[in-house]
Amino acid sequence: MSPEKMIYMANQIATFFKSQPGTNQAEMVANHLRDFWDPRMLRKICDHVAGGGEGLDDLAVRAVRMIP
Amino acid sequence: MKDFIIPTMDPKDDRDMGTPARSGAMVTLTIDGFEVTVPEGTSVMRAAAELDIQVPKLCATDNLEAFGSCRLCVVEIEGRRGTPASCTTPVAEGMAVHTQSKKVRKIRNGVMELYISDHPLDCLTCSANGDCELQDMAGAVGLRDVRYEAPKTGGLANHFEARDTSGEANPEWLPKDDSNPYFSYDPSKCIVCNRCVRACEEVQGTFALTIEGRGFDSRVSAGGALDDFLSSDCVSCGACVQACPTATLQEKSVIEMGTPDRSVITTCAYCGVGCSFKAEMQGDELVRMVPYKHGKANRGHSCVKGRFAYGYAHHSDRILNPMIRDSVDEPWREVSWDEALTFAANRMRGLQETYGQKSIGVITSSRCTNEETYLVQKLTRSVFGNNNTDTCARVCHSPTGYGLGQTFGASAGTQDFDSVEQTDVVVVIGANPTDGHPVFASRLKKRLRAGAKLIVIDPRRIDLVKSAHIEAAHHLPLRPGTNVAVVTALAYTIVTEGLFDEEYIRTRCDWDEFQDYAEFVSNPRHSPEETAALTGIDPEALRAAARLYATGGNGAIYYGLGVTEHSQGSTTVMGIANLAMLTGNIGRPGVGVNPLRGQNNVQGSCDMGSFPHELPGYRHVKNADVREMFEAVWGTPIDPEPGLRIPNMLDAAVDGTFKGLYCQGEDILQSDPDTKHVAAGLAAMECVIVHDLFLNETANYAHVFLPGSTFLEKDGTFTNAERRINRVREVMKPLNGYADWEVTQLLANAMGADWNYTHPAQIMDEIAATTPSFAGVDYAVLEEKGSVQWPCNEAHPDGTPLMHVDGFVRGKGRLMITEYVATDERTGPRFPLLLTTGRILSQYNVGAQTRRTQNTVWHAEDQLEIHPHDAETRGVNEGDWVRLASRAGETALRAKLTDRVSPGVVYTTFHHPDTQANVITTDFSDWATNCPEYKVTAVQVSPSNGPTDWQETYNAQAERSRRILPAAE
Ligand code: SF4
Ligand code: SF4
Ligand code: SF4
Ligand code: FES
């Protein structure tokens, strides 16, 4: 998957959970990613965040950091 | 002793009871001295039929209201004068009826004599011989001679002789109308009983037929004076053919083959309505498909696809032998099953050795049976050892699963189809039932004609908005891509105008969550006035629609792919669920949230664990207890991490980490968005196994082709949009040698599994043993009850027609915040128009089946619907070739000018591979499920001379890759 597409998808998810009530939106995003993304996609986005996370929504970055 | 009440009919008994069933207080009467008790309003004819006493009849049949025109059904009633018609006379308490007497015999004899005097006596060579009610009635009344003669003065006083003896043409004679590909109309045999006209009105709701003229001159006529059946409004549903008591309206297959000698009840394999049919056979040849009157989804009705479009099963394009090739540039080689399976198994195992366990996967089919789908996902989970399974439901209703799961706790529609009969306000969002779900549409239209109100939310003026005797109270023609804004504006109106059902929300939902939700939704930025600029909808109309839904009585929402196939598909589904919860429209007959499923087994393929993150019954693979249950039955460990979804598989293929695919009964190259990307993904794989009836588009990139079987050739079950599990029955042996579940089993075993299923019933037993909502389902239960709706288990042994009756599956219903996010697929100077896609009645999905039937007379090619204004500014005329371009690609097709679409919006279907509408669609997708955004693409339209280079290159490639080497001797 192109990095642009991955970033786009992660940001879409972050945008949804940002609108949800509560204080644990990052956790909601992380859970969504864990529930629906296959490990190679998770690895890719974790690497991307490790490398600075360019283009990723702040909420998405915080969420990805919660994924070991 | 014949004194009894028959509460429900034996499912095998489909005799014609003469008039429709009624419900209500019970009334007791005697007929020929026998006592019978029936609901008030029942006709004397039907009461007699309950006693097995058949009163002769011609113009009555039990799916139509009585008409009372033939007078063959007269009876005598004690204390009443004359001889009333039993079909139009309702029963009364204490009534004493006599169905036979000298007097009624004489009347019946006279009636028959009149009919027969104007009917050709060619019974022996007539196509309805043995299946003609006129013939039966002549026998039943004991007609022995006909005393009428042609007038001595010359000329003919009949409708059936083309010429009189002097060769003079008979002006009353009309030629046969053979214009419809599936049935013929022979006016010379018509008895003008009006059944066809009433069937077209009452059952189908199309009003294509009328009786023209009066008295002796009256005849059935399709459309206007110059029309034949094909050019009229007729949609070829077959209801009139079914209703006709004579050979006047007759299936051409019966004319060719003769009458059937046995029948098997099975389920249509086309759409999610899941109609039951009787496959009527001669030996192992199918003579015709007749809608089954005890089918609980269709109640005896059908559409052109299920009724007539089964010819693909024997089409010469069907591939019956397995084939393999080393690379996709080579021609196919026909080989034995053994060789093909070994080849496939070695390649797949080899890929796993080289690229890892997760480098291969499967796509299950929403067209195959539950049992087959279950086996395919089991293949990947238990034999491949990963969770790389997905289904084409990904590209249609995955947001339904997610959205309804989040809000209600169950990924399925809430009602049965019968529920529509109690609905007062119907909201149709992003669906086109008259084309996509025709039999449901007929049932809906019947309810609308009886007074229910209709709200249509769709960019296009679909047929339901205004058609014969139906007009929507509101049509909200929104701009494609603004569903969430519209649904939220409806909620805004309901909440700010105080139209919500507080009592319901307090008891069924979480009141605190409602506070959050109400605060969100009451923000003026969600008001119809504020959002109008975005959605293009008149705020007053939107408010009126919201008021009607909230206060008009039982409100039911039916939605389709126009809701799900967007980047905010899941959010819209949640928004729809919110509307139903706010207004208390969940949990009883006549209300609910009802996804209209595209393909026949979309519901089933989702239920059966086709998605990469969940095992059968919607249970996440991360849950150890669920895995353990399956591990115990399967004897293999299950990967706890979710697998790849279809778009992810293609991405991973391009990246080089996904190498092998077993694709059953799906054509992802044609049906999935952004064709070029799909093609690149497939081309990057080293082993693509296509298991299908035909060399579909995906097979252009395949290395192994395993021939599939049709729904006529196997046993199994389909689950329709109302969660109804219907039996599919083998009516003939598979032409390719194996049913699809057997092929999957052979492949699994070739890869080292040890599966020993000998009948799909055993697979269903395994499903029931592992999946709580199916715990009570087995083939014996289905045999006995005909069908059941899941959940079917100890708590609901008869299944569950209505869900969330005493509370939601998840406990409290959850109102979700639905913030509108504009799609990034925006119009601009280069691509100023919005393309949205859909389907039409006579074709189905990618058309692989329907294009191989005579249904093509109705839709030979895909066309681009464009508003005359947009066409004019581009110099495009009706029927011109136009170039349709988006950021993703371009294609060419013919234009059709119509104001069904608003200016700024264009529309097409995707039934034909030549059109390649998906070359245009982009890879934007739903945020939660990756369901592609088919319904919004920014495009430009310009005049063109014909197919694009891409279409021609594509066709050439397709042509080349379909070559088959002659079999080696
Ligand atoms: S076509 Fe058949 S159903 Fe219609 S009026 Fe004639 S006989 Fe009756
Ligand atoms: S086939 Fe259906 S639509 Fe056509 S005339 Fe008959 S009942 Fe009407
Ligand atoms: S409505 Fe759907 S299930 Fe029924 S006959 Fe038509 S295609 Fe088949
Ligand atoms: S059947 Fe009753 S009048 Fe024709």
Side-chain angles (χ1 to χ4, degrees):
Chain A
M1 181 178 356
S2 72
E4 294 77 32
K5 192 163 164 187
M6 174 184 74
I7 293 165
Y8 188 85
M9 279 163 44
N11 288 349
Q12 269 184 303
I13 296 167
T15 307
F16 176 80
F17 286 105
K18 214 177 277 178
S19 72
Q20 297 304 300
T23 49
N24 57 340
Q25 282 93 350
E27 205 178 309
M28 294 179 193
V29 174
N31 285 339
H32 188 91
L33 291 174
R34 270 193 226 111
D35 279 355
F36 295 102
W37 284 29
D38 125 297
R40 77 195 80 174
M41 294 164 67
L42 287 181
R43 209 173 314 119
K44 216 167 170 170
I45 198 161
C46 288
D47 290 350
H48 182 73
V49 166
E54 200 194 321
L56 270 184
D57 188 294
D58 181 51
L59 179 61
V61 171
R62 280 189 287 132
V64 172
R65 292 224 171 95
M66 300 169 91
I67 298 170
Chain B
M1 167 86 186
K2 278 197 155 182
D3 304 1
F4 54 79
I5 311 163
I6 307 169
T8 46
M9 278 176 75
D10 174 353
K12 298 267 152 29
D13 177 2
D14 58 351
R15 112 194 111 95
D16 186 351
M17 307 293 282
T19 64
R22 293 284 184 259
S23 57
M26 300 306 270
V27 170
T28 301
L29 67 158
T30 64
I31 298 177
D32 296 339
F34 297 106
E35 200 167 277
V36 64
T37 302
V38 293
E40 63 185 352
T42 304
S43 69
V44 167
M45 175 181 279
R46 189 174 175 105
E50 296 282 11
L51 285 170
D52 244 339
I53 297 171
Q54 301 293 340
V55 183
K57 65 175 185 64
L58 276 172
C59 68
T61 183
D62 62 7
N63 65 342
L64 302 173
E65 292 302 325
F67 193 59
S69 70
C70 73
R71 302 265 320 142
L72 196 64
C73 68
V74 291
V75 292
E76 291 199 76
I77 298 177
E78 285 175 24
R80 293 205 192 177
R81 288 180 29 198
T83 47
S86 62
C87 63
T88 50
T89 306
V91 295
E93 188 63 40
M95 191 184 242
V97 179
H98 299 280
T99 67
Q100 295 294 350
S101 73
K102 221 168 164 182
K103 194 157 144 202
V104 301
R105 273 176 186 282
K106 192 156 172 243
I107 296 172
R108 289 178 190 158
N109 218 291
V111 168
M112 274 320 288
E113 193 174 357
L114 256 174
Y115 273 121
I116 299 300
S117 69
D118 192 7
H119 199 84
L121 295 179
D122 59 0
C123 290
L124 283 182
T125 52
C126 176
S127 60
N129 188 11
D131 184 25
C132 170
E133 293 181 39
L134 190 67
Q135 202 179 40
D136 297 346
M137 289 306 122
V141 305
L143 184 71
R144 294 296 169 257
D145 58 333
V146 175
R147 292 160 296 169
Y148 298 93
E149 279 171 22
K152 296 272 181 308
T153 49
L156 291 167
N158 71 41
H159 296 96
F160 63 84
E161 281 169 287
R163 301 183 174 279
D164 67 12
T165 40
S166 65
E168 195 69 30
N170 175 1
E172 295 291 346
W173 180 86
L174 290 176
K176 234 172 148 175
D177 176 352
D178 268 324
S179 60
N180 183 293
Y182 299 118
F183 62 84
S184 70
Y185 167 55
D186 180 356
S188 71
K189 294 191 168 165
C190 179
I191 59 170
V192 204
C193 65
N194 216 301
R195 274 160 68 160
C196 53
V197 177
R198 287 178 286 142
C200 193
E201 294 176 4
E202 291 175 33
V203 179
Q204 165 56 25
T206 291
F207 294 76
L209 301 178
T210 46
I211 299 280
E212 297 226 315
R214 327 200 56 182
F216 186 70
D217 289 330
S218 51
R219 5 255 324 206
V220 173
S221 158
L226 298 174
D227 277 322
D228 55 19
F229 267 81
L230 192 62
S231 67
S232 74
D233 288 340
C234 168
V235 294
S236 197
C237 70
C240 56
V241 182
Q242 187 67 1
C244 182
T246 64
T248 313
L249 287 164
Q250 181 76 278
E251 295 90 351
K252 288 184 177 170
S253 60
V254 173
I255 297 177
E256 257 165 50
M257 302 173 70
T259 44
D261 52 39
R262 67 181 179 103
S263 72
V264 182
I265 294 159
T266 190
T267 304
C268 176
Y270 279 117
C271 87
V273 177
C275 297
S276 300
F277 279 86
K278 270 166 67 176
E280 298 195 336
M281 314 291 297
Q282 285 175 349
D284 68 349
E285 285 187 31
L286 182 58
V287 178
R288 65 177 169 188
M289 295 285 277
V290 180
Y292 180 51
K293 84 186 223 194
H294 299 307
K296 294 195 181 99
N298 56 321
R299 304 277 175 204
H301 191 35
S302 61
C303 84
V304 60
K305 294 189 285 277
R307 177 81 152 89
F308 296 117
Y310 49 80
Y312 68 86
H314 286 90
H315 194 278
S316 59
D317 285 353
R318 202 168 147 195
I319 306 285
L320 300 175
N321 296 309
M323 303 191 297
I324 57 173
R325 58 183 169 190
D326 279 313
S327 92
V328 301
D329 333 308
E330 291 175 6
W332 287 104
R333 266 189 307 125
E334 287 189 357
V335 293
S336 67
W337 277 98
D338 249 359
E339 188 175 348
L341 291 161
T342 311
F343 178 90
N346 289 346
R347 277 216 168 187
M348 291 298 246
R349 280 296 186 219
L351 289 173
Q352 284 191 301
E353 271 158 35
T354 319
Y355 301 100
Q357 188 153 344
K358 298 194 181 190
S359 62
I360 62 174
V362 300
I363 297 180
T364 73
S365 175
S366 299
R367 285 175 212 169
C368 287
T369 63
N370 286 319
E371 293 75 3
E372 287 161 345
T373 306
Y374 176 88
L375 284 195
V376 175
Q377 62 90 33
K378 177 173 173 177
L379 174 72
T380 200
R381 297 205 152 103
S382 165
V383 182
F384 297 179
N386 63 43
N387 286 312
N388 292 332
T389 167
D390 205 0
T391 170
C392 57
R394 168 70 52 212
V395 303
C396 66
H397 265 293
S398 51
T400 291
Y402 183 77
L404 296 184
Q406 292 289 315
T407 47
F408 298 160
S411 304
T414 61
Q415 311 297 111
D416 57 5
F417 286 136
D418 285 350
S419 161
V420 75
E421 286 162 19
Q422 296 177 56
T423 298
D424 302 308
V425 181
V426 179
V427 188
V428 173
I429 312 182
N432 185 5
T434 50
D435 287 78
H437 303 85
V439 165
F440 168 71
S442 290
R443 299 187 67 182
L444 170 61
K445 289 199 282 187
K446 188 169 189 172
R447 180 64 199 150
L448 294 172
R449 287 196 303 277
K453 299 277 190 301
L454 172 68
I455 300 166
V456 172
I457 305 179
D458 198 285
R460 216 167 138 255
R461 195 179 68 237
I462 57 171
D463 281 347
L464 269 185
V465 173
K466 197 168 179 352
S467 60
H469 301 270
I470 283 173
E471 189 164 0
H474 306 284
H475 173 214
L476 311 181
L478 77 175
R479 263 175 82 76
T482 60
N483 288 335
V484 171
V486 173
V487 168
T488 309
L490 289 168
Y492 170 92
T493 310
I494 292 168
V495 171
T496 56
E497 295 189 9
L499 307 175
F500 56 89
D501 184 343
E502 179 172 340
E503 167 66 23
Y504 185 91
I505 300 168
R506 278 186 184 277
T507 50
R508 299 298 179 84
C509 304
D510 186 317
W511 187 248
D512 285 340
E513 259 167 25
F514 172 71
Q515 301 304 322
D516 285 341
Y517 176 78
E519 193 191 319
F520 158 79
V521 86
S522 315
N523 189 311
R525 69 198 162 88
H526 299 304
S527 71
E529 291 72 19
E530 285 288 315
T531 47
L534 223 61
T535 61
I537 292 180
D538 169 22
E540 262 322 299
L542 192 144
R543 280 184 186 265
R547 289 173 198 138
L548 176 60
Y549 172 66
T551 62
N554 285 342
I557 302 177
Y558 293 87
Y559 72 88
L561 306 183
V563 160
T564 52
E565 289 174 348
H566 287 280
S567 33
Q568 279 200 292
S570 293
T571 318
T572 310
V573 173
M574 295 173 192
I576 287 172
N578 288 342
L579 290 177
M581 289 185 282
L582 284 176
T583 53
N585 276 317
I586 292 280
R588 58 176 194 280
V591 299
V593 172
N594 308 280
L596 293 170
R597 307 287 184 158
Q599 309 193 65
N600 52 329
N601 203 32
V602 171
Q603 181 70 52
S605 76
C606 298
D607 300 343
M608 290 300 108
S610 295
F611 289 139
H613 64 285
E614 55 197 15
L615 285 154
Y618 304 98
R619 290 163 299 163
H620 204 285
V621 291
K622 70 183 173 192
N623 299 319
D625 54 332
V626 181
R627 284 202 313 277
E628 273 159 26
M629 182 170 0
F630 283 96
E631 284 166 348
V633 177
W634 294 350
T636 49
I638 296 173
D639 181 356
E641 287 175 322
L644 295 164
R645 300 171 285 193
I646 295 174
N648 310 148
M649 289 180 191
L650 296 165
D651 287 330
V654 173
D655 289 352
T657 63
F658 188 80
K659 288 289 184 182
L661 179 68
Y662 168 47
C663 183
Q664 182 179 65
E666 279 312 321
D667 193 359
I668 55 169
L669 184 58
Q670 198 188 340
S671 65
D672 284 35
D674 198 355
T675 308
K676 290 181 179 172
H677 180 63
V678 180
L682 288 169
M685 294 183 203
E686 292 175 23
C687 182
V688 175
I689 306 170
V690 166
H691 179 180
D692 210 304
L693 299 174
F694 305 105
L695 276 176
N696 60 19
E697 304 304 309
T698 307
N700 297 346
Y701 292 91
H703 309 86
V704 181
F705 186 90
L706 301 176
S709 53
T710 72
F711 75 112
L712 297 167
E713 300 168 349
K714 60 198 180 189
D715 281 303
T717 56
F718 291 149
T719 307
N720 76 354
E722 29 158 34
R723 293 171 278 106
R724 184 180 301 289
I725 305 161
N726 274 315
R727 267 303 305 275
V728 179
R729 293 187 175 83
E730 181 188 56
V731 304
M732 56 180 77
K733 288 292 163 194
L735 289 178
N736 56 319
Y738 293 107
D740 294 330
W741 60 272
E742 294 176 286
V743 175
T744 305
Q745 168 159 295
L746 288 169
L747 179 62
N749 289 346
M751 290 183 71
D754 180 24
W755 295 358
N756 299 294
Y757 303 103
T758 55
H759 193 274
Q762 299 157 350
I763 306 174
M764 182 51 88
D765 291 342
E766 188 174 313
I767 297 166
T770 49
T771 309
S773 50
F774 279 70
V777 184
D778 64 39
Y779 277 31
V781 167
L782 294 173
E783 206 61 44
E784 179 202 320
K785 298 189 198 298
S787 65
V788 288
Q789 288 171 271
W790 69 255
C792 175
N793 46 32
E794 224 166 279
H796 307 277
D798 294 327
T800 312
L802 300 176
M803 290 193 87
H804 317 297
V805 174
D806 304 311
F808 286 95
V809 169
R810 72 183 294 278
K812 292 278 187 190
R814 180 164 167 220
L815 287 151
M816 301 272 293
I817 303 242
T818 54
E819 189 72 67
Y820 170 68
V821 180
T823 166
D824 284 311
E825 183 62 20
R826 292 205 181 96
T827 54
R830 276 180 62 217
F831 302 108
L833 302 171
L834 284 180
L835 168 75
T836 184
T837 56
R839 58 160 124 181
I840 66 148
L841 170 69
S842 56
Q843 300 287 348
Y844 172 73
N845 198 271
V846 295
Q849 292 141 301
T850 44
R851 274 185 286 114
R852 291 182 172 93
T853 68
Q854 295 178 69
N855 275 24
T856 44
V857 303
W858 289 283
H859 186 78
E861 60 178 2
D862 294 320
Q863 294 175 320
L864 184 78
E865 289 189 8
I866 180 168
H867 192 275
H869 174 78
D870 289 329
E872 199 191 326
T873 58
R874 287 168 175 77
V876 168
N877 297 310
E878 176 76 20
D880 282 358
W881 275 98
V882 291
R883 174 177 162 274
L884 176 68
S886 76
R887 286 179 192 90
E890 63 177 65
T891 187
L893 68 176
R894 288 182 195 274
K896 180 183 165 80
L897 275 47
T898 169
D899 65 357
R900 263 172 190 264
V901 288
S902 312
V905 176
V906 292
Y907 166 89
T908 189
T909 48
F910 59 96
H911 301 301
H912 293 267
D914 302 342
T915 322
Q916 288 288 349
N918 280 325
V919 172
I920 306 302
T921 51
T922 64
D923 67 355
F924 285 121
S925 65
D926 175 47
W927 67 267
T929 66
N930 273 171
C931 177
E933 186 165 55
Y934 285 115
K935 299 292 181 180
V936 202
T937 312
V939 294
Q940 178 59 296
V941 172
S942 52
S944 114
N945 306 324
T948 61
D949 292 348
W950 154 262
Q951 277 163 300
E952 300 200 333
T953 329
Y954 180 91
N955 285 338
Q957 194 272 348
E959 192 82 353
R960 224 176 326 110
S961 82
R962 290 206 178 103
R963 287 168 306 161
I964 302 175
L965 283 183
E969 285 304 308

